[in-house]
Amino acid sequence: MIIAVDGPAGAGKSTVAKILAKQLGFLYIDTGAMYRALTLKALENDVPAGDEQNIIRLACAVKIELRNNADGSLSVILDGRDVSLDIRKPLITQFVSDVAKIKEVRQVLVKMQRELGSRGDCVLDGRDIGTVVFPGAQKKFFIDASAKERINRRFKELKGLGQDVSEDDVAGDLSNRDKIDSTRKNSPLRKAPDAIYIDTTDLSIEQVVGKMLGFLK
Ligand code: CDP
């Protein structure tokens, strides 16, 4: 069974998708982490996000592994190296949407995502899972929250990771990525017509997971 979880930045998709996968005993696939890992590889190779030809070249050669740990956490392995924390850094966040809008990059990563998803039951989270990667997914969710709440959640999360960010930085990043992700030509962020929309603004993590489990019964 495939469960698709899409939505804008900072809505809490990854948090609830990860918990849901653990509770169901499904594999968890964080597709955003794959775009982030490729962005890290590009920056480490001094390839700017605007250099599409070289980014595509890197995408064709990159090895990204998503390891589901026993404690429910996810390790992201880029060419054999654990980059789970590095991919959350501000510089990666700043450029990831420019990398993710490149058509050929999406073709390569979507192929990887379909291969991972074909291995068995899984929960995938991203922007285009229900619309493009697995349009035939048995269950689709679109997780949303007000802009204010999304800024608040992401700010707390980054502070928790020890990052020195301001609320204004976070607000700027979210609105920049929302704009690029939802207006790009290739696979823009959209709610699939058959996805269940959940506004999580006033809900706790447990309440959101509870709702999702309720729809799965
Ligand atoms: O920060 P957040 O966790 O909300 O984002 P993410 O899931 O880590 O994704 C980072 C970026 O990757 C997004 O802003 C999109 O530009 C891109 N992305 C995408 O284009 N398609 C996906 N399926 C997942 C992520």
Side-chain angles (χ1 to χ4, degrees):
M1 177 180 193
I2 300 265
I3 301 176
V5 183
D6 290 305
K13 298 181 301 293
S14 308
T15 308
V16 295
K18 208 182 290 175
I19 297 174
L20 190 68
K22 183 152 196 313
Q23 293 203 359
L24 295 169
F26 284 21
L27 190 68
Y28 167 57
I29 301 171
D30 178 351
T31 63
M34 300 171 80
Y35 291 96
R36 284 173 177 274
L38 175 62
T39 306
L40 175 66
K41 182 165 174 126
L43 295 183
E44 285 181 346
N45 283 275
D46 294 323
V47 175
D51 182 353
E52 297 202 357
Q53 287 320 309
N54 279 313
I55 300 254
I56 295 165
R57 213 162 290 155
L58 290 176
C60 294
V62 76
K63 279 208 164 55
I64 302 169
E65 196 192 323
L66 300 178
R67 229 173 254 167
N68 281 221
N69 303 315
D71 64 358
S73 65
L74 179 88
S75 296
V76 182
I77 314 294
L78 169 67
D79 298 327
R81 176 169 58 107
D82 190 328
V83 295
S84 310
L85 283 179
D86 292 343
I87 60 167
R88 307 288 159 199
K89 293 197 172 147
L91 200 61
I92 305 302
T93 305
Q94 186 183 337
F95 291 114
V96 63
S97 290
D98 290 317
V99 169
K101 71 182 181 193
I102 304 170
K103 186 170 105 205
E104 292 84 351
V105 162
R106 305 200 68 80
Q107 284 168 347
V108 173
L109 294 196
V110 166
K111 186 161 173 262
M112 284 185 205
Q113 291 156 15
R114 289 186 179 142
E115 269 165 22
L116 288 171
S118 66
R119 293 186 188 168
D121 293 328
C122 59
V123 180
L124 294 100
D125 90 59
R127 302 289 187 286
D128 58 341
I129 310 301
T131 51
V132 174
V133 184
F134 284 109
Q138 285 84 346
K139 215 64 188 177
K140 301 180 185 178
F141 295 100
F142 192 91
I143 304 294
D144 203 357
S146 71
K148 187 161 167 263
E149 183 60 21
R150 293 193 289 120
I151 293 164
N152 192 18
R153 286 178 189 169
R154 183 50 53 94
F155 177 67
K156 282 196 190 139
E157 185 186 340
L158 294 178
K159 279 282 175 195
L161 286 174
Q163 289 188 20
D164 180 23
V165 287
S166 69
E167 282 198 56
D168 280 352
D169 294 338
V170 175
D173 159 52
L174 291 195
S175 83
N176 176 45
R177 284 197 294 139
D178 279 354
K179 185 158 168 238
I180 301 176
D181 293 347
S182 51
T183 59
R184 69 185 177 211
K185 221 169 44 211
N186 309 299
S187 315
L189 168 66
R190 291 261 185 289
K191 178 189 162 303
D194 53 345
I196 298 163
Y197 180 91
I198 303 180
D199 180 352
T200 69
T201 306
D202 298 314
L203 300 178
S204 67
I205 292 168
E206 293 72 27
Q207 285 173 319
V208 180
V209 174
K211 258 186 190 278
M212 294 168 99
L213 286 169
F215 282 115
L216 286 166
K217 280 208 183 110

